[in-house]
Amino acid sequence: MEGVSTEFPEEISTLRETLANIMAVTRPDELRAQIAELSKQAAAPDLWDDPDNAQQITSELSHVQSELARVEKMGERIDDLEAIIELAEEEEDDREMLLEDAQSQLESIQKDLADLEIKTLLSGDYDEREAVVTIRSGAGGVDAADFAEMLLRMYLRWAERNGYSTKVMDTSYAEEAGLKSATFEVNAPYAYGTLSVEAGTHRLVRISPFDNQGRRQTSFAAVEVIPLIETTDHIDIPDADLKVDVFRSSGPGGQSVNTTDSAVRMTHIPTGIVVSMQNEKSQIQNRAAALRVLQSRLLQLRHEQEQAERRELAGDVKASWGDQMRSYVLQPYQMVKDLRTGHENGNTAAVFDGEIDDFINAGIRWRKDAEVQQD
């Protein structure tokens, strides 16, 4: 361990430099001011008169408090590491044990700092927004529908692990098993910038549990991620551009879960975009939720058109995403691999249980590198 100790001063200097760069982006003083304002709003006696607004305020407050605590705690951990190294220099008998502890702490801090540093790479126009995620089953029949449901659970577990509030807005069940599609919100700052790298086609390879001959099946599901609309976006939709149908909500297998025509299907005639909502209690609530998601999709469409125009002006005709961005192989071996970044994980059960931060972080870095190369 003596050789390792000589590297510590340089390593700690690098840690402090990285933390300083992170703090320059996260701005702790602004976070504290934001916490004070949100705490004031959360303490209002009429807060829960508007449950949706109350949930948004409390969720944002929790997220900002967690963000500040992570940055402040990181500085304390670096101080503690330095103290351990100083103690090791003074304690002859316990030096080896202390240096081993210091090395372990160093590696842990380096990993956590790398995770924190990801936020500094989220600088897109809508990266700070909350997100609306839609998962659709693709080719592969009942296996694809089951895969779509597996992905829905994966993302909801990921959000739960990170303390992010979610709301499933629409679920369309397949006849035999799984989902035709599902739409949910992730209500946390930077949810869109974080999850946008998950957009694309996902592929599952496994022995089909629905095949009585036990054959291997390849199935696909598509993930769409859009930024949640805000009141300042001014996405106006004339009534003449909308076609609104109402129908009865239904659960798995077509069983009725509602005795009234409360579900809403909203079609934007100029673009052909269709949004369905059935998880709210009333037709009015479903209509409002559908309009909000439709506006978010139109906002994303406008953003994509602007990006396409910029790429055309720059002479860049390369697509941003391939057809398949990630493979989940359960047979004949177990491996989840991102085809863009090369990142992989052999613990497929953990991935489907929401442990996808490493994939997301690698995707964000990959996207940033691609942007730098284009510039």
Side-chain angles (χ1 to χ4, degrees), residues 55-85:
Q55 186 171 355
Q56 184 174 354
I57 289 172
T58 54
S59 175
E60 187 173 356
L61 175 59
S62 174
H63 179 81
V64 176
Q65 287 173 329
S66 175
E67 198 73 18
L68 178 61
R70 288 177 70 189
V71 174
E72 291 181 334
K73 183 67 176 176
M74 197 60 67
E76 295 172 8
R77 289 173 64 186
I78 296 174
D79 290 340
D80 291 344
L81 172 60
E82 209 163 22
I84 292 173
I85 295 167

PDB file of all heavy atoms in Angstrom, residues 55-85:
ATOM      1  N   GLN A  55     -48.643  17.891  -4.710  1.00  0.00           N
ATOM      2  CA  GLN A  55     -47.723  16.787  -4.968  1.00  0.00           C
ATOM      3  C   GLN A  55     -46.510  17.256  -5.754  1.00  0.00           C
ATOM      4  O   GLN A  55     -45.383  16.821  -5.501  1.00  0.00           O
ATOM      5  CB  GLN A  55     -48.445  15.666  -5.721  1.00  0.00           C
ATOM      6  CG  GLN A  55     -47.586  14.418  -5.891  1.00  0.00           C
ATOM      7  CD  GLN A  55     -48.372  13.250  -6.448  1.00  0.00           C
ATOM      8  OE1 GLN A  55     -49.577  13.339  -6.618  1.00  0.00           O
ATOM      9  NE2 GLN A  55     -47.692  12.158  -6.742  1.00  0.00           N
ATOM     10  N   GLN A  56     -46.737  18.169  -6.693  1.00  0.00           N
ATOM     11  CA  GLN A  56     -45.626  18.693  -7.480  1.00  0.00           C
ATOM     12  C   GLN A  56     -44.661  19.486  -6.604  1.00  0.00           C
ATOM     13  O   GLN A  56     -43.444  19.357  -6.724  1.00  0.00           O
ATOM     14  CB  GLN A  56     -46.160  19.579  -8.611  1.00  0.00           C
ATOM     15  CG  GLN A  56     -45.067  20.091  -9.546  1.00  0.00           C
ATOM     16  CD  GLN A  56     -45.626  20.840 -10.738  1.00  0.00           C
ATOM     17  OE1 GLN A  56     -46.842  20.883 -10.933  1.00  0.00           O
ATOM     18  NE2 GLN A  56     -44.754  21.426 -11.529  1.00  0.00           N
ATOM     19  N   ILE A  57     -45.216  20.306  -5.710  1.00  0.00           N
ATOM     20  CA  ILE A  57     -44.378  21.119  -4.817  1.00  0.00           C
ATOM     21  C   ILE A  57     -43.566  20.234  -3.882  1.00  0.00           C
ATOM     22  O   ILE A  57     -42.350  20.411  -3.722  1.00  0.00           O
ATOM     23  CB  ILE A  57     -45.247  22.107  -4.010  1.00  0.00           C
ATOM     24  CG1 ILE A  57     -45.798  23.209  -4.925  1.00  0.00           C
ATOM     25  CG2 ILE A  57     -44.429  22.737  -2.876  1.00  0.00           C
ATOM     26  CD1 ILE A  57     -46.807  24.116  -4.272  1.00  0.00           C
ATOM     27  N   THR A  58     -44.227  19.264  -3.223  1.00  0.00           N
ATOM     28  CA  THR A  58     -43.524  18.403  -2.273  1.00  0.00           C
ATOM     29  C   THR A  58     -42.494  17.513  -2.969  1.00  0.00           C
ATOM     30  O   THR A  58     -41.417  17.259  -2.419  1.00  0.00           O
ATOM     31  CB  THR A  58     -44.522  17.530  -1.496  1.00  0.00           C
ATOM     32  OG1 THR A  58     -45.352  16.802  -2.414  1.00  0.00           O
ATOM     33  CG2 THR A  58     -45.422  18.392  -0.612  1.00  0.00           C
ATOM     34  N   SER A  59     -42.828  17.058  -4.185  1.00  0.00           N
ATOM     35  CA  SER A  59     -41.879  16.227  -4.931  1.00  0.00           C
ATOM     36  C   SER A  59     -40.644  17.042  -5.329  1.00  0.00           C
ATOM     37  O   SER A  59     -39.510  16.578  -5.190  1.00  0.00           O
ATOM     38  CB  SER A  59     -42.561  15.659  -6.178  1.00  0.00           C
ATOM     39  OG  SER A  59     -41.639  14.941  -6.966  1.00  0.00           O
ATOM     40  N   GLU A  60     -40.866  18.260  -5.807  1.00  0.00           N
ATOM     41  CA  GLU A  60     -39.748  19.115  -6.209  1.00  0.00           C
ATOM     42  C   GLU A  60     -38.895  19.488  -5.002  1.00  0.00           C
ATOM     43  O   GLU A  60     -37.663  19.519  -5.076  1.00  0.00           O
ATOM     44  CB  GLU A  60     -40.269  20.372  -6.903  1.00  0.00           C
ATOM     45  CG  GLU A  60     -39.160  21.228  -7.504  1.00  0.00           C
ATOM     46  CD  GLU A  60     -39.690  22.387  -8.328  1.00  0.00           C
ATOM     47  OE1 GLU A  60     -40.920  22.498  -8.504  1.00  0.00           O
ATOM     48  OE2 GLU A  60     -38.854  23.197  -8.791  1.00  0.00           O
ATOM     49  N   LEU A  61     -39.561  19.757  -3.857  1.00  0.00           N
ATOM     50  CA  LEU A  61     -38.823  20.096  -2.638  1.00  0.00           C
ATOM     51  C   LEU A  61     -37.925  18.937  -2.215  1.00  0.00           C
ATOM     52  O   LEU A  61     -36.748  19.139  -1.892  1.00  0.00           O
ATOM     53  CB  LEU A  61     -39.803  20.437  -1.513  1.00  0.00           C
ATOM     54  CG  LEU A  61     -39.189  20.696  -0.123  1.00  0.00           C
ATOM     55  CD1 LEU A  61     -38.203  21.857  -0.173  1.00  0.00           C
ATOM     56  CD2 LEU A  61     -40.291  20.960   0.902  1.00  0.00           C
ATOM     57  N   SER A  62     -38.471  17.728  -2.243  1.00  0.00           N
ATOM     58  CA  SER A  62     -37.693  16.549  -1.865  1.00  0.00           C
ATOM     59  C   SER A  62     -36.498  16.365  -2.790  1.00  0.00           C
ATOM     60  O   SER A  62     -35.385  16.053  -2.340  1.00  0.00           O
ATOM     61  CB  SER A  62     -38.595  15.310  -1.902  1.00  0.00           C
ATOM     62  OG  SER A  62     -37.847  14.137  -1.665  1.00  0.00           O
ATOM     63  N   HIS A  63     -36.721  16.576  -4.096  1.00  0.00           N
ATOM     64  CA  HIS A  63     -35.638  16.397  -5.067  1.00  0.00           C
ATOM     65  C   HIS A  63     -34.534  17.428  -4.858  1.00  0.00           C
ATOM     66  O   HIS A  63     -33.340  17.081  -4.864  1.00  0.00           O
ATOM     67  CB  HIS A  63     -36.185  16.505  -6.478  1.00  0.00           C
ATOM     68  CG  HIS A  63     -35.144  16.349  -7.544  1.00  0.00           C
ATOM     69  ND1 HIS A  63     -34.675  15.124  -7.965  1.00  0.00           N
ATOM     70  CD2 HIS A  63     -34.453  17.282  -8.256  1.00  0.00           C
ATOM     71  CE1 HIS A  63     -33.743  15.295  -8.885  1.00  0.00           C
ATOM     72  NE2 HIS A  63     -33.597  16.590  -9.087  1.00  0.00           N
ATOM     73  N   VAL A  64     -34.899  18.688  -4.667  1.00  0.00           N
ATOM     74  CA  VAL A  64     -33.892  19.747  -4.501  1.00  0.00           C
ATOM     75  C   VAL A  64     -33.121  19.549  -3.203  1.00  0.00           C
ATOM     76  O   VAL A  64     -31.898  19.741  -3.149  1.00  0.00           O
ATOM     77  CB  VAL A  64     -34.566  21.139  -4.535  1.00  0.00           C
ATOM     78  CG1 VAL A  64     -33.534  22.233  -4.273  1.00  0.00           C
ATOM     79  CG2 VAL A  64     -35.228  21.382  -5.882  1.00  0.00           C
ATOM     80  N   GLN A  65     -33.823  19.160  -2.130  1.00  0.00           N
ATOM     81  CA  GLN A  65     -33.139  18.885  -0.859  1.00  0.00           C
ATOM     82  C   GLN A  65     -32.131  17.750  -1.022  1.00  0.00           C
ATOM     83  O   GLN A  65     -31.006  17.829  -0.502  1.00  0.00           O
ATOM     84  CB  GLN A  65     -34.167  18.527   0.219  1.00  0.00           C
ATOM     85  CG  GLN A  65     -34.979  19.711   0.720  1.00  0.00           C
ATOM     86  CD  GLN A  65     -36.095  19.287   1.661  1.00  0.00           C
ATOM     87  OE1 GLN A  65     -36.656  18.185   1.538  1.00  0.00           O
ATOM     88  NE2 GLN A  65     -36.433  20.143   2.606  1.00  0.00           N
ATOM     89  N   SER A  66     -32.530  16.709  -1.757  1.00  0.00           N
ATOM     90  CA  SER A  66     -31.638  15.577  -1.994  1.00  0.00           C
ATOM     91  C   SER A  66     -30.433  16.004  -2.830  1.00  0.00           C
ATOM     92  O   SER A  66     -29.295  15.582  -2.568  1.00  0.00           O
ATOM     93  CB  SER A  66     -32.412  14.460  -2.701  1.00  0.00           C
ATOM     94  OG  SER A  66     -31.560  13.401  -3.048  1.00  0.00           O
ATOM     95  N   GLU A  67     -30.680  16.858  -3.831  1.00  0.00           N
ATOM     96  CA  GLU A  67     -29.595  17.330  -4.705  1.00  0.00           C
ATOM     97  C   GLU A  67     -28.561  18.128  -3.910  1.00  0.00           C
ATOM     98  O   GLU A  67     -27.344  17.937  -4.063  1.00  0.00           O
ATOM     99  CB  GLU A  67     -30.195  18.211  -5.805  1.00  0.00           C
ATOM    100  CG  GLU A  67     -29.295  18.424  -7.001  1.00  0.00           C
ATOM    101  CD  GLU A  67     -29.183  17.180  -7.860  1.00  0.00           C
ATOM    102  OE1 GLU A  67     -30.033  16.277  -7.756  1.00  0.00           O
ATOM    103  OE2 GLU A  67     -28.225  17.124  -8.640  1.00  0.00           O
ATOM    104  N   LEU A  68     -29.037  19.022  -3.036  1.00  0.00           N
ATOM    105  CA  LEU A  68     -28.128  19.829  -2.221  1.00  0.00           C
ATOM    106  C   LEU A  68     -27.361  18.943  -1.251  1.00  0.00           C
ATOM    107  O   LEU A  68     -26.143  19.113  -1.068  1.00  0.00           O
ATOM    108  CB  LEU A  68     -28.922  20.891  -1.458  1.00  0.00           C
ATOM    109  CG  LEU A  68     -28.101  21.791  -0.524  1.00  0.00           C
ATOM    110  CD1 LEU A  68     -27.062  22.589  -1.303  1.00  0.00           C
ATOM    111  CD2 LEU A  68     -29.019  22.730   0.270  1.00  0.00           C
ATOM    112  N   ALA A  69     -28.065  18.000  -0.620  1.00  0.00           N
ATOM    113  CA  ALA A  69     -27.417  17.122   0.355  1.00  0.00           C
ATOM    114  C   ALA A  69     -26.311  16.296  -0.297  1.00  0.00           C
ATOM    115  O   ALA A  69     -25.250  16.089   0.300  1.00  0.00           O
ATOM    116  CB  ALA A  69     -28.459  16.199   0.996  1.00  0.00           C
ATOM    117  N   ARG A  70     -26.540  15.823  -1.525  1.00  0.00           N
ATOM    118  CA  ARG A  70     -25.530  15.017  -2.221  1.00  0.00           C
ATOM    119  C   ARG A  70     -24.258  15.822  -2.463  1.00  0.00           C
ATOM    120  O   ARG A  70     -23.147  15.318  -2.280  1.00  0.00           O
ATOM    121  CB  ARG A  70     -26.084  14.507  -3.544  1.00  0.00           C
ATOM    122  CG  ARG A  70     -27.123  13.420  -3.423  1.00  0.00           C
ATOM    123  CD  ARG A  70     -27.668  13.030  -4.771  1.00  0.00           C
ATOM    124  NE  ARG A  70     -26.676  12.321  -5.569  1.00  0.00           N
ATOM    125  CZ  ARG A  70     -26.841  12.021  -6.847  1.00  0.00           C
ATOM    126  NH1 ARG A  70     -27.940  12.384  -7.486  1.00  0.00           N
ATOM    127  NH2 ARG A  70     -25.901  11.360  -7.504  1.00  0.00           N
ATOM    128  N   VAL A  71     -24.421  17.076  -2.881  1.00  0.00           N
ATOM    129  CA  VAL A  71     -23.248  17.922  -3.160  1.00  0.00           C
ATOM    130  C   VAL A  71     -22.512  18.248  -1.871  1.00  0.00           C
ATOM    131  O   VAL A  71     -21.273  18.158  -1.803  1.00  0.00           O
ATOM    132  CB  VAL A  71     -23.685  19.213  -3.885  1.00  0.00           C
ATOM    133  CG1 VAL A  71     -22.492  20.147  -4.050  1.00  0.00           C
ATOM    134  CG2 VAL A  71     -24.285  18.893  -5.243  1.00  0.00           C
ATOM    135  N   GLU A  72     -23.266  18.642  -0.831  1.00  0.00           N
ATOM    136  CA  GLU A  72     -22.624  19.012   0.438  1.00  0.00           C
ATOM    137  C   GLU A  72     -21.952  17.794   1.076  1.00  0.00           C
ATOM    138  O   GLU A  72     -20.860  17.908   1.641  1.00  0.00           O
ATOM    139  CB  GLU A  72     -23.672  19.605   1.378  1.00  0.00           C
ATOM    140  CG  GLU A  72     -24.183  20.972   0.932  1.00  0.00           C
ATOM    141  CD  GLU A  72     -25.206  21.562   1.875  1.00  0.00           C
ATOM    142  OE1 GLU A  72     -25.885  20.788   2.582  1.00  0.00           O
ATOM    143  OE2 GLU A  72     -25.340  22.802   1.901  1.00  0.00           O
ATOM    144  N   LYS A  73     -22.627  16.643   1.011  1.00  0.00           N
ATOM    145  CA  LYS A  73     -22.064  15.429   1.603  1.00  0.00           C
ATOM    146  C   LYS A  73     -20.769  15.029   0.896  1.00  0.00           C
ATOM    147  O   LYS A  73     -19.834  14.507   1.535  1.00  0.00           O
ATOM    148  CB  LYS A  73     -23.094  14.295   1.495  1.00  0.00           C
ATOM    149  CG  LYS A  73     -22.666  12.987   2.139  1.00  0.00           C
ATOM    150  CD  LYS A  73     -22.567  13.117   3.653  1.00  0.00           C
ATOM    151  CE  LYS A  73     -22.239  11.779   4.293  1.00  0.00           C
ATOM    152  NZ  LYS A  73     -22.053  11.887   5.763  1.00  0.00           N
ATOM    153  N   MET A  74     -20.699  15.297  -0.403  1.00  0.00           N
ATOM    154  CA  MET A  74     -19.507  14.917  -1.160  1.00  0.00           C
ATOM    155  C   MET A  74     -18.287  15.674  -0.649  1.00  0.00           C
ATOM    156  O   MET A  74     -17.190  15.109  -0.524  1.00  0.00           O
ATOM    157  CB  MET A  74     -19.718  15.201  -2.648  1.00  0.00           C
ATOM    158  CG  MET A  74     -18.743  14.495  -3.553  1.00  0.00           C
ATOM    159  SD  MET A  74     -18.801  12.694  -3.430  1.00  0.00           S
ATOM    160  CE  MET A  74     -20.435  12.376  -4.102  1.00  0.00           C
ATOM    161  N   GLY A  75     -18.450  16.956  -0.347  1.00  0.00           N
ATOM    162  CA  GLY A  75     -17.347  17.736   0.202  1.00  0.00           C
ATOM    163  C   GLY A  75     -16.894  17.186   1.550  1.00  0.00           C
ATOM    164  O   GLY A  75     -15.682  17.105   1.832  1.00  0.00           O
ATOM    165  N   GLU A  76     -17.855  16.779   2.376  1.00  0.00           N
ATOM    166  CA  GLU A  76     -17.531  16.203   3.688  1.00  0.00           C
ATOM    167  C   GLU A  76     -16.785  14.882   3.525  1.00  0.00           C
ATOM    168  O   GLU A  76     -15.848  14.593   4.287  1.00  0.00           O
ATOM    169  CB  GLU A  76     -18.813  15.976   4.486  1.00  0.00           C
ATOM    170  CG  GLU A  76     -19.553  17.267   4.842  1.00  0.00           C
ATOM    171  CD  GLU A  76     -20.907  16.993   5.466  1.00  0.00           C
ATOM    172  OE1 GLU A  76     -21.208  15.810   5.751  1.00  0.00           O
ATOM    173  OE2 GLU A  76     -21.678  17.957   5.677  1.00  0.00           O
ATOM    174  N   ARG A  77     -17.197  14.084   2.545  1.00  0.00           N
ATOM    175  CA  ARG A  77     -16.534  12.789   2.328  1.00  0.00           C
ATOM    176  C   ARG A  77     -15.082  12.964   1.877  1.00  0.00           C
ATOM    177  O   ARG A  77     -14.197  12.186   2.276  1.00  0.00           O
ATOM    178  CB  ARG A  77     -17.309  11.979   1.297  1.00  0.00           C
ATOM    179  CG  ARG A  77     -18.644  11.465   1.807  1.00  0.00           C
ATOM    180  CD  ARG A  77     -19.440  10.821   0.702  1.00  0.00           C
ATOM    181  NE  ARG A  77     -18.789   9.616   0.168  1.00  0.00           N
ATOM    182  CZ  ARG A  77     -19.234   8.943  -0.887  1.00  0.00           C
ATOM    183  NH1 ARG A  77     -20.315   9.367  -1.545  1.00  0.00           N
ATOM    184  NH2 ARG A  77     -18.594   7.861  -1.304  1.00  0.00           N
ATOM    185  N   ILE A  78     -14.828  13.984   1.072  1.00  0.00           N
ATOM    186  CA  ILE A  78     -13.448  14.245   0.641  1.00  0.00           C
ATOM    187  C   ILE A  78     -12.614  14.704   1.834  1.00  0.00           C
ATOM    188  O   ILE A  78     -11.450  14.311   1.996  1.00  0.00           O
ATOM    189  CB  ILE A  78     -13.423  15.297  -0.494  1.00  0.00           C
ATOM    190  CG1 ILE A  78     -14.140  14.750  -1.739  1.00  0.00           C
ATOM    191  CG2 ILE A  78     -11.977  15.664  -0.844  1.00  0.00           C
ATOM    192  CD1 ILE A  78     -14.292  15.753  -2.858  1.00  0.00           C
ATOM    193  N   ASP A  79     -13.212  15.545   2.705  1.00  0.00           N
ATOM    194  CA  ASP A  79     -12.511  15.982   3.926  1.00  0.00           C
ATOM    195  C   ASP A  79     -12.177  14.780   4.810  1.00  0.00           C
ATOM    196  O   ASP A  79     -11.068  14.690   5.365  1.00  0.00           O
ATOM    197  CB  ASP A  79     -13.380  16.971   4.711  1.00  0.00           C
ATOM    198  CG  ASP A  79     -13.521  18.307   3.999  1.00  0.00           C
ATOM    199  OD1 ASP A  79     -12.686  18.610   3.135  1.00  0.00           O
ATOM    200  OD2 ASP A  79     -14.481  19.036   4.321  1.00  0.00           O
ATOM    201  N   ASP A  80     -13.140  13.870   4.950  1.00  0.00           N
ATOM    202  CA  ASP A  80     -12.915  12.679   5.779  1.00  0.00           C
ATOM    203  C   ASP A  80     -11.807  11.803   5.197  1.00  0.00           C
ATOM    204  O   ASP A  80     -10.987  11.236   5.937  1.00  0.00           O
ATOM    205  CB  ASP A  80     -14.208  11.856   5.888  1.00  0.00           C
ATOM    206  CG  ASP A  80     -15.277  12.560   6.712  1.00  0.00           C
ATOM    207  OD1 ASP A  80     -14.932  13.506   7.444  1.00  0.00           O
ATOM    208  OD2 ASP A  80     -16.469  12.169   6.624  1.00  0.00           O
ATOM    209  N   LEU A  81     -11.786  11.687   3.867  1.00  0.00           N
ATOM    210  CA  LEU A  81     -10.740  10.899   3.207  1.00  0.00           C
ATOM    211  C   LEU A  81      -9.369  11.495   3.505  1.00  0.00           C
ATOM    212  O   LEU A  81      -8.408  10.779   3.818  1.00  0.00           O
ATOM    213  CB  LEU A  81     -10.984  10.862   1.697  1.00  0.00           C
ATOM    214  CG  LEU A  81      -9.878  10.242   0.837  1.00  0.00           C
ATOM    215  CD1 LEU A  81      -9.639   8.791   1.226  1.00  0.00           C
ATOM    216  CD2 LEU A  81     -10.234  10.346  -0.643  1.00  0.00           C
ATOM    217  N   GLU A  82      -9.273  12.800   3.422  1.00  0.00           N
ATOM    218  CA  GLU A  82      -8.000  13.474   3.699  1.00  0.00           C
ATOM    219  C   GLU A  82      -7.562  13.241   5.138  1.00  0.00           C
ATOM    220  O   GLU A  82      -6.370  13.045   5.423  1.00  0.00           O
ATOM    221  CB  GLU A  82      -8.156  14.974   3.424  1.00  0.00           C
ATOM    222  CG  GLU A  82      -6.873  15.637   2.987  1.00  0.00           C
ATOM    223  CD  GLU A  82      -7.126  16.986   2.324  1.00  0.00           C
ATOM    224  OE1 GLU A  82      -8.194  17.594   2.562  1.00  0.00           O
ATOM    225  OE2 GLU A  82      -6.260  17.425   1.556  1.00  0.00           O
ATOM    226  N   ALA A  83      -8.538  13.226   6.059  1.00  0.00           N
ATOM    227  CA  ALA A  83      -8.225  13.007   7.471  1.00  0.00           C
ATOM    228  C   ALA A  83      -7.695  11.587   7.701  1.00  0.00           C
ATOM    229  O   ALA A  83      -6.765  11.383   8.500  1.00  0.00           O
ATOM    230  CB  ALA A  83      -9.478  13.243   8.319  1.00  0.00           C
ATOM    231  N   ILE A  84      -8.272  10.608   6.988  1.00  0.00           N
ATOM    232  CA  ILE A  84      -7.807   9.226   7.118  1.00  0.00           C
ATOM    233  C   ILE A  84      -6.360   9.098   6.638  1.00  0.00           C
ATOM    234  O   ILE A  84      -5.531   8.427   7.258  1.00  0.00           O
ATOM    235  CB  ILE A  84      -8.718   8.274   6.314  1.00  0.00           C
ATOM    236  CG1 ILE A  84     -10.111   8.208   6.941  1.00  0.00           C
ATOM    237  CG2 ILE A  84      -8.119   6.869   6.243  1.00  0.00           C
ATOM    238  CD1 ILE A  84     -11.118   7.421   6.122  1.00  0.00           C
ATOM    239  N   ILE A  85      -6.047   9.782   5.547  1.00  0.00           N
ATOM    240  CA  ILE A  85      -4.684   9.725   4.992  1.00  0.00           C
ATOM    241  C   ILE A  85      -3.688  10.365   5.953  1.00  0.00           C
ATOM    242  O   ILE A  85      -2.588   9.835   6.179  1.00  0.00           O
ATOM    243  CB  ILE A  85      -4.646  10.427   3.619  1.00  0.00           C
ATOM    244  CG1 ILE A  85      -5.520   9.662   2.619  1.00  0.00           C
ATOM    245  CG2 ILE A  85      -3.221  10.519   3.101  1.00  0.00           C
ATOM    246  CD1 ILE A  85      -5.801  10.420   1.349  1.00  0.00           C
TER     247      ILE A  85
END
